[in-house]
Amino acid sequence: MVAANWKCNGTKASVDELLQSFAQAKAGHPVECVVAPPLLHIPATQAALKGNALWAVAAQNCIAADGAFTGEVSAPMLKDFGVPWVILGHSERRSLYGESNGIVAAKVKAALAAGLKVIVCVGESLEQREQDKTMEVVLAQMAAVVEILPDGSWPSVVLAYEPVWAIGTGKVATPEQAQVVHAGMRTWLAEKTSPEIAAAARILYGGSVKSGNAASLYEQPDINGFLVGGASLTPDFLAIIAAAK
């Protein structure tokens, strides 16, 4: 999988121009491509990409249920509007909006119950990495989700490791650094679920991914694709898709 997280970016004009290039794209190899625009751009994204089976659309966040929650969008609403995927637990949601491991896990459970598929983000801060707490932090974030996952739900879950210190900073984990964490995640997953689930799980890397470093990252055995921020707002994203071969 290669997923685009546009975050809170894009005008009607810039999104229309970008979607024209996306709509014409062909991968030539097995890869699932997901685009997560801001909510206002979801209808235009759905319409522009409708004729190309390469693409699916995601939301960047949701809450569990409808109700008196001003400014939010719920998992059932996304399902009703034909949005198949949602990104949950992104580090910006955790740090800027106070989403704890428990809150993220509850959102994942609700999204799956509503019939959505979920990209679950995990990752450590620079301070945590410097304190050698990377795996402690990442596995705690994973554990909160794994503990509540219903049986048989793993085909609808993708994990994304995004070191917070590499998101939008221009810094990127080396392929070897990323592989160590991805391998640790997969080993832990095999112990907590089953070797079969761990082997089949898709674990994406995110954090200043560009066309220039995507291929070397994808060569690592436990990196199964990318969750891309800034570079997904340009046609360069298509080169990243090509690198995931």
Short mmCIF file of all heavy atoms in Angstrom, two decimals, residues 4 12 20-21 29 53 64 85-86 117 120 126 134 148 158 173 177-178 182 185 194 196 221-222 228 239 243:
data_model
loop_
_atom_site.label_atom_id
_atom_site.label_comp_id
_atom_site.label_asym_id
_atom_site.label_seq_id
_atom_site.Cartn_x
_atom_site.Cartn_y
_atom_site.Cartn_z
N ALA A 4 -1.60 8.47 0.67
CA ALA A 4 -1.34 9.91 0.67
C ALA A 4 -2.15 10.57 1.76
O ALA A 4 -3.37 10.47 1.78
CB ALA A 4 -1.72 10.51 -0.69
N LYS A 12 -9.29 24.25 -4.17
CA LYS A 12 -10.03 23.54 -5.22
C LYS A 12 -9.17 23.41 -6.48
O LYS A 12 -9.14 22.35 -7.11
CB LYS A 12 -11.34 24.27 -5.53
CG LYS A 12 -12.40 24.13 -4.44
CD LYS A 12 -13.75 24.61 -4.92
CE LYS A 12 -13.79 26.10 -5.12
NZ LYS A 12 -15.16 26.57 -5.50
N GLN A 20 -6.09 15.19 -11.52
CA GLN A 20 -6.01 14.86 -12.94
C GLN A 20 -4.83 13.92 -13.22
O GLN A 20 -4.95 12.96 -13.98
CB GLN A 20 -5.86 16.14 -13.77
CG GLN A 20 -7.14 16.96 -13.87
CD GLN A 20 -6.95 18.23 -14.67
OE1 GLN A 20 -6.05 18.32 -15.51
NE2 GLN A 20 -7.78 19.22 -14.44
N SER A 21 -3.70 14.18 -12.57
CA SER A 21 -2.54 13.31 -12.77
C SER A 21 -2.75 11.97 -12.08
O SER A 21 -2.36 10.92 -12.61
CB SER A 21 -1.26 13.98 -12.25
OG SER A 21 -1.32 14.20 -10.85
N HIS A 29 2.07 -2.92 -11.16
CA HIS A 29 2.44 -3.94 -10.18
C HIS A 29 1.40 -3.92 -9.07
O HIS A 29 0.66 -2.94 -8.91
CB HIS A 29 3.84 -3.68 -9.63
CG HIS A 29 4.00 -2.38 -8.90
ND1 HIS A 29 4.11 -1.18 -9.58
CD2 HIS A 29 4.06 -2.08 -7.58
CE1 HIS A 29 4.24 -0.20 -8.70
NE2 HIS A 29 4.21 -0.72 -7.48
N ALA A 53 -9.41 1.93 -10.77
CA ALA A 53 -9.48 0.96 -9.67
C ALA A 53 -8.23 0.95 -8.81
O ALA A 53 -8.21 0.30 -7.76
CB ALA A 53 -9.73 -0.44 -10.23
N ALA A 64 -16.35 7.85 17.07
CA ALA A 64 -17.05 6.58 17.07
C ALA A 64 -18.47 6.66 16.52
O ALA A 64 -18.88 5.82 15.73
CB ALA A 64 -17.07 6.00 18.49
N TRP A 85 -11.81 3.92 3.83
CA TRP A 85 -10.64 3.91 4.72
C TRP A 85 -10.64 5.13 5.65
O TRP A 85 -11.18 6.18 5.30
CB TRP A 85 -9.35 3.94 3.92
CG TRP A 85 -8.97 2.66 3.26
CD1 TRP A 85 -9.29 2.25 1.99
CD2 TRP A 85 -8.18 1.59 3.82
NE1 TRP A 85 -8.75 1.01 1.73
CE2 TRP A 85 -8.06 0.59 2.83
CE3 TRP A 85 -7.57 1.40 5.05
CZ2 TRP A 85 -7.36 -0.59 3.05
CZ3 TRP A 85 -6.85 0.23 5.27
CH2 TRP A 85 -6.76 -0.75 4.28
N VAL A 86 -9.98 4.98 6.80
CA VAL A 86 -9.73 6.11 7.68
C VAL A 86 -8.35 5.94 8.31
O VAL A 86 -7.93 4.83 8.63
CB VAL A 86 -10.83 6.26 8.76
CG1 VAL A 86 -10.86 5.03 9.69
CG2 VAL A 86 -10.64 7.53 9.56
N LYS A 117 -12.13 0.33 6.87
CA LYS A 117 -10.79 -0.20 7.01
C LYS A 117 -9.90 0.91 7.56
O LYS A 117 -10.15 2.09 7.32
CB LYS A 117 -10.28 -0.71 5.66
CG LYS A 117 -11.06 -1.92 5.16
CD LYS A 117 -10.59 -2.39 3.79
CE LYS A 117 -11.15 -1.52 2.68
NZ LYS A 117 -10.87 -2.07 1.33
N VAL A 120 -3.58 2.45 11.00
CA VAL A 120 -3.27 2.81 12.39
C VAL A 120 -1.83 3.29 12.46
O VAL A 120 -0.91 2.55 12.12
CB VAL A 120 -3.47 1.62 13.34
CG1 VAL A 120 -3.21 2.05 14.78
CG2 VAL A 120 -4.86 1.03 13.20
N LEU A 126 11.50 12.36 19.00
CA LEU A 126 12.96 12.40 19.01
C LEU A 126 13.49 12.15 20.42
O LEU A 126 14.45 11.40 20.61
CB LEU A 126 13.45 13.76 18.49
CG LEU A 126 14.98 13.93 18.47
CD1 LEU A 126 15.65 12.88 17.59
CD2 LEU A 126 15.34 15.34 18.00
N THR A 134 12.20 3.70 21.75
CA THR A 134 11.42 3.56 20.52
C THR A 134 10.48 2.37 20.58
O THR A 134 9.27 2.51 20.39
CB THR A 134 12.35 3.44 19.30
OG1 THR A 134 13.03 4.68 19.12
CG2 THR A 134 11.54 3.13 18.04
N ILE A 148 -7.98 -4.80 21.53
CA ILE A 148 -9.43 -4.60 21.31
C ILE A 148 -9.89 -5.05 19.94
O ILE A 148 -11.08 -4.96 19.63
CB ILE A 148 -9.84 -3.12 21.55
CG1 ILE A 148 -9.05 -2.15 20.64
CG2 ILE A 148 -9.64 -2.73 23.00
CD1 ILE A 148 -9.57 -1.95 19.26
N VAL A 158 -4.20 -1.83 8.54
CA VAL A 158 -2.83 -1.60 8.09
C VAL A 158 -2.12 -0.79 9.16
O VAL A 158 -2.70 0.16 9.71
CB VAL A 158 -2.81 -0.85 6.74
CG1 VAL A 158 -1.40 -0.42 6.37
CG2 VAL A 158 -3.40 -1.72 5.64
N ALA A 173 14.28 8.33 8.64
CA ALA A 173 14.99 7.20 9.21
C ALA A 173 15.74 6.50 8.09
O ALA A 173 15.25 6.40 6.97
CB ALA A 173 14.01 6.24 9.87
N GLN A 177 17.38 1.76 10.04
CA GLN A 177 16.65 2.15 11.24
C GLN A 177 15.17 1.78 11.13
O GLN A 177 14.57 1.26 12.08
CB GLN A 177 16.77 3.66 11.46
CG GLN A 177 18.12 4.12 11.96
CD GLN A 177 18.20 5.64 12.03
OE1 GLN A 177 17.70 6.35 11.15
NE2 GLN A 177 18.82 6.15 13.08
N ALA A 178 14.59 2.06 9.97
CA ALA A 178 13.18 1.75 9.77
C ALA A 178 12.95 0.24 9.83
O ALA A 178 11.98 -0.23 10.44
CB ALA A 178 12.70 2.31 8.44
N HIS A 182 10.29 -1.96 12.08
CA HIS A 182 9.28 -2.76 11.40
C HIS A 182 9.42 -4.24 11.77
O HIS A 182 8.41 -4.92 12.01
CB HIS A 182 9.42 -2.59 9.88
CG HIS A 182 8.79 -1.34 9.35
ND1 HIS A 182 7.78 -1.35 8.41
CD2 HIS A 182 9.01 -0.04 9.64
CE1 HIS A 182 7.41 -0.11 8.14
NE2 HIS A 182 8.16 0.70 8.87
N MET A 185 8.11 -4.76 15.25
CA MET A 185 6.65 -4.74 15.26
C MET A 185 6.10 -6.08 14.79
O MET A 185 5.16 -6.63 15.39
CB MET A 185 6.14 -3.61 14.36
CG MET A 185 6.44 -2.22 14.87
SD MET A 185 6.10 -0.90 13.65
CE MET A 185 4.31 -1.04 13.47
N SER A 194 -0.64 -14.22 15.89
CA SER A 194 -0.19 -15.49 15.31
C SER A 194 0.85 -15.19 14.26
O SER A 194 0.88 -14.09 13.69
CB SER A 194 -1.36 -16.25 14.68
OG SER A 194 -1.76 -15.62 13.48
N GLU A 196 0.87 -16.25 11.32
CA GLU A 196 0.17 -16.04 10.05
C GLU A 196 -0.31 -14.59 9.93
O GLU A 196 -0.17 -13.97 8.88
CB GLU A 196 -1.00 -17.01 9.93
CG GLU A 196 -0.61 -18.46 9.81
CD GLU A 196 -0.17 -19.10 11.12
OE1 GLU A 196 -0.47 -18.54 12.19
OE2 GLU A 196 0.50 -20.15 11.07
N PRO A 221 12.93 -5.86 4.05
CA PRO A 221 11.97 -6.97 3.98
C PRO A 221 10.67 -6.75 4.74
O PRO A 221 9.66 -7.36 4.39
CB PRO A 221 12.76 -8.15 4.58
CG PRO A 221 13.88 -7.53 5.35
CD PRO A 221 14.23 -6.28 4.63
N ASP A 222 10.68 -5.88 5.75
CA ASP A 222 9.46 -5.71 6.55
C ASP A 222 8.74 -4.39 6.28
O ASP A 222 7.78 -4.06 6.98
CB ASP A 222 9.79 -5.84 8.04
CG ASP A 222 10.11 -7.27 8.43
OD1 ASP A 222 9.19 -8.11 8.37
OD2 ASP A 222 11.27 -7.56 8.74
N VAL A 228 2.48 8.81 3.09
CA VAL A 228 3.24 9.95 2.59
C VAL A 228 2.49 11.25 2.88
O VAL A 228 1.29 11.36 2.61
CB VAL A 228 3.49 9.82 1.07
CG1 VAL A 228 4.40 10.95 0.58
CG2 VAL A 228 4.10 8.46 0.75
N ALA A 239 5.77 8.66 -8.44
CA ALA A 239 7.08 8.01 -8.46
C ALA A 239 7.28 7.16 -7.20
O ALA A 239 7.96 6.12 -7.24
CB ALA A 239 8.19 9.04 -8.59
N ALA A 243 7.98 3.12 -6.92
CA ALA A 243 9.09 2.56 -6.15
C ALA A 243 8.66 1.38 -5.29
O ALA A 243 9.49 0.57 -4.88
CB ALA A 243 9.71 3.63 -5.28
#
